[in-house]
Amino acid sequence: MAFIDLLRQLMQVSGSADEAASADVARAIELRETLSENPNDIAAFQGLAELVDHAASSSTTLEDPLTADQEEAGPQEQANLAMWSLAEELSGRPNAWYPLIELARLSVDSDIEGATRRLQTAVERDETGRALGESIKVLREAGYAESGISLGIGHWDPENQKFAAGEQLILAAIDAERPDVASRNFDILQQHAIRGEHEDRLAFLARLIEESQAAAEAKYKEREKREN
């Protein structure tokens, strides 16, 4: 089922006032057209997500876009189904990387292998590092920091990619309690940071690394104490 049809169904089920629902559908169509021109417009994606969340918050059931079966689902599941439909519609475009990240975000908890494949493809479609940073963040937030490290080390080009890609790699290393990896990549990131633009974020990362190193050292000493 197409995303706009799915959104209309959500609004009908939720019992939204006709005038308000019509305005939301019109706005959704406008944002959907924006994504037709640029499937990586994150602001347009987020705008549609807000409309979907608003419609789903008072909805009771939603037709699954893959099976066309009526199934009981909570508001978040309904919103996820609608956003999955949207991202799937756009992900086939050769230049579309953000829709793949959305698909990965929606599936990472239930299908880490499939989500990782989608993120790999997203990273390969984008040379700026934005997709890489977003992909590592998805993995970090889902509890797969080690996978985020692997993805970052395999694809990060500090000379030509955005600061956020290296930043997310370092955060993944901190989450995975690997301060050595974080420190090594921090040194690289620092060399390629833009003077006058990244000092605050570098200072924040440096503080996190120091805390991670201290925690790792404390754990080592505690283990030594138990063994002796």
Side-chain angles (χ1 to χ4, degrees), residues 3-12 14-33 44-58 83 86:
F3 168 75
I4 295 299
D5 294 333
L6 202 54
L7 181 60
R8 284 196 177 102
Q9 179 181 313
L10 262 175
M11 291 176 175
Q12 290 170 358
S14 70
S16 300
D18 288 344
E19 186 174 344
S22 296
D24 283 347
V25 169
R27 177 58 177 159
I29 291 173
E30 179 183 346
L31 291 171
R32 179 64 181 82
E33 290 175 352
F45 252 103
Q46 292 174 341
L48 283 170
E50 289 176 5
L51 290 173
V52 168
D53 286 341
H54 176 70
S57 62
S58 56
M83 294 308 296
L86 172 65

Side-chain angles (χ1 to χ4, degrees), residues 23-202:
D24 283 347
V25 169
R27 177 58 177 159
I29 291 173
E30 179 183 346
L31 291 171
R32 179 64 181 82
E33 290 175 352
T34 298
L35 288 170
S36 293
E37 297 176 4
N38 177 15
N40 303 315
D41 189 319
I42 298 176
F45 252 103
Q46 292 174 341
L48 283 170
E50 289 176 5
L51 290 173
V52 168
D53 286 341
H54 176 70
S57 62
S58 56
S59 179
T60 56
T61 61
L62 179 66
E63 185 177 284
D64 190 310
L66 302 179
T67 66
D69 292 333
Q70 276 305 104
E71 297 180 353
E72 292 291 334
Q76 189 58 55
E77 291 172 308
Q78 294 174 358
N80 288 347
L81 285 172
M83 294 308 296
W84 181 278
S85 177
L86 172 65
E88 198 168 48
E89 287 177 23
L90 296 167
S91 62
R93 302 267 292 275
N95 66 327
W97 56 265
Y98 192 74
L100 288 167
I101 289 174
E102 282 296 302
L103 290 174
R105 194 190 313 277
L106 293 169
S107 62
V108 66
D109 290 334
S110 59
D111 180 16
I112 179 59
E113 292 184 2
T116 301
R117 287 195 299 272
R118 293 182 180 100
L119 294 175
Q120 288 275 6
T121 302
V123 169
E124 291 166 2
R125 289 181 177 182
D126 170 59
E127 297 180 352
T128 69
R130 287 190 75 189
L132 180 58
E134 292 287 339
S135 296
I136 297 173
K137 185 178 179 181
V138 167
L139 292 169
R140 282 184 52 233
E141 292 180 345
Y144 295 99
E146 289 285 356
S147 296
I149 293 172
S150 297
L151 186 66
I153 289 176
H155 292 276
W156 185 36
D157 177 2
E159 188 171 350
N160 299 307
Q161 292 184 335
K162 292 184 178 295
F163 182 93
E167 181 179 38
Q168 287 297 323
L169 171 56
I170 292 165
L171 290 172
I174 292 169
D175 288 351
E177 299 182 352
R178 297 180 62 183
D180 55 329
V181 175
S183 180
R184 185 163 58 249
N185 285 284
F186 177 82
D187 291 341
I188 298 171
L189 182 64
Q190 196 170 32
Q191 293 172 16
H192 294 89
I194 299 174
R195 184 173 299 177
E197 183 175 336
H198 296 140
E199 279 80 2
D200 289 346
R201 289 158 77 181
L202 286 169

